[in-house]
Amino acid sequence: MSQNDESNAYWAANVRLILISLVIWALVSFGFGIILRPLLSGISVGGTDLGFWFAQQGSILVFLALIFFYAWRMNRLDQEHGVDEE
């Protein structure tokens, strides 16, 4: 595999990871917190409905989890493609 092909594979995997993370973030923050809030209003979490919880706290927690997941996965991706920091 040439250097250009390896570079393209690395960036394709990186972009795929970013897109997956953005879709999850959008689904949680906009989907659960705004669009699907009426459907989630019957489920109680911490004294409030689940849609409100996602809008106020859940989306932040999921965003933080995505940051840690992205860093962990990028470290593995860097190692797989030989561009990690030693």
Side-chain angles (χ1 to χ4, degrees):
M1 185 178 264
S2 72
Q3 180 68 20
N4 195 24
D5 291 340
E6 183 68 27
S7 179
N8 288 340
Y10 173 76
W11 283 108
N14 187 2
V15 169
R16 184 175 54 249
L17 181 61
I18 290 170
L19 288 176
I20 290 169
S21 297
L22 284 174
V23 166
I24 292 170
W25 173 74
L27 177 67
V28 169
S29 62
F30 294 114
F32 293 161
I34 298 170
I35 297 170
L36 297 175
R37 184 165 184 241
L39 295 174
L40 300 173
S41 65
I43 303 168
S44 179
V45 171
T48 187
D49 65 89
L50 185 60
F52 183 77
W53 183 84
F54 267 115
Q56 297 301 312
Q57 309 236 346
S59 60
I60 295 169
L61 295 175
V62 169
F63 183 69
L64 289 173
L66 283 172
I67 290 171
F68 286 107
F69 172 74
Y70 178 79
W72 171 77
R73 185 64 184 108
M74 278 306 297
N75 284 334
R76 286 189 55 211
L77 190 64
D78 289 348
Q79 290 173 353
E80 290 171 10
H81 290 274
V83 294
D84 59 325
E85 298 175 7
E86 296 183 57

